[in-house]
Amino acid sequence: MFSIVLFTLGPVMTNTYLIADDETGESVVIDPADEGKRIVNEAKKRGWRIGSIWLTHAHFDHLGGAAGVADAVNPPPPVALHADDYSLWRIQGGAAFFGMRIDPGPEPTIELHHGQVLHLGNHQLQVYHAPGHTQGHVMFHNPAEDILFCGDVVFQGSIGRTDLPGGDFSTLINSIHTQVLTLPDETRLLTGHGPETTVGEERKYNPFIQ
Ligand SMILES: [Zn+2]
Ligand SMILES: [Zn+2]
């Protein structure tokens, strides 16, 4: 079974997803926003090993817990990020713009690219490069389960902001049209902030993508 544990963490209520293959006990943290130790404890409680950290993008609110996860897991799980967000990662995900400082954790060593297939036990997730909110933003799609971890690309009734460095509105809208709305209506969208939604709901009701 493909399991998902949701945490909402950090100063701007970012969604962190601890995902696992129940059969093998392999797990991954998508966007460890904060409280790394708490995420690791939850995995331990369930008998899961955290093998990697996958970042949808390098904004500080999506990686503030990476250092805590790395400190509590031996060996520290490698961090995966798209190369176009490395420069953002190097400035702590823009934390200074918000008057904050974070420890970004271990340097990313897995370079994500569009079309790449990532393995989690017996499950496979595909990487979609979806720029616009940041240049190196990616989404993780599990086609067998009809689930898209879409980060800050699209939210219930809204879309990611594009006024921060590296953001571009028309690029984001294009990413949504070519990579989100092309998926079946029943596809679950597990977003970076707020409640989960579906492709069909957003196709119908999201005012930004009519
Ligand atoms: Zn963001
Ligand atoms: Zn965010």
Side-chain angles (χ1 to χ4, degrees):
M1 213 177 83
F2 183 77
S3 290
I4 304 167
V5 180
L6 164 68
F7 304 83
T8 301
L9 303 170
V12 289
M13 311 250 307
T14 304
N15 291 331
T16 292
Y17 299 95
L18 172 65
I19 62 173
D21 178 340
D22 275 311
E23 273 103 64
T24 65
E26 282 159 86
S27 70
V28 159
V29 186
I30 299 177
D31 292 350
D34 204 354
E35 298 185 68
K37 193 141 197 210
R38 184 173 146 200
I39 301 166
V40 172
N41 285 341
E42 183 67 31
K44 279 187 183 152
K45 206 176 83 190
R46 292 164 182 264
W48 298 345
R49 287 177 310 278
I50 297 176
S52 325
I53 294 170
W54 297 349
L55 301 180
T56 58
H57 65 297
H59 277 150
F60 74 98
D61 61 304
H62 292 253
L63 51 84
V69 172
D71 284 348
V73 178
N74 191 15
V79 175
L81 179 68
H82 192 284
D84 291 354
D85 262 17
Y86 282 4
S87 54
L88 184 58
W89 186 90
R90 277 187 216 103
I91 56 162
Q92 285 92 50
F97 287 111
F98 298 89
M100 280 184 247
R101 283 173 71 97
I102 58 150
D103 175 353
E107 182 126 6
T109 53
I110 302 171
E111 185 179 330
L112 298 176
H113 54 86
H114 187 75
Q116 187 174 2
V117 175
L118 300 170
H119 296 266
L120 173 62
N122 298 313
H123 298 276
Q124 298 190 345
L125 290 96
Q126 203 167 359
V127 176
Y128 293 0
H129 181 211
H133 176 66
T134 65
Q135 289 171 338
H137 197 299
V138 297
M139 307 184 291
F140 304 106
H141 184 220
N142 182 332
E145 304 280 333
D146 265 333
I147 293 170
L148 183 72
F149 297 94
C150 61
D152 289 0
V153 170
V154 61
F155 305 117
Q156 185 191 61
S158 187
I159 59 170
R161 57 191 285 187
T162 54
D163 58 325
L164 296 169
D168 184 77
F169 183 77
S170 61
T171 304
L172 179 61
I173 294 295
N174 184 57
S175 289
I176 293 169
H177 279 283
T178 57
Q179 302 187 63
V180 178
L181 298 181
T182 45
L183 295 169
D185 277 349
E186 53 277 14
T187 306
R188 292 168 67 191
L189 297 176
L190 300 190
T191 57
H193 302 272
E196 90 168 72
T197 179
T198 64
V199 169
E201 291 289 300
E202 297 318 304
R203 199 192 307 281
K204 242 192 250 164
Y205 302 118
N206 192 314
F208 294 91
I209 49 184
Q210 298 306 310

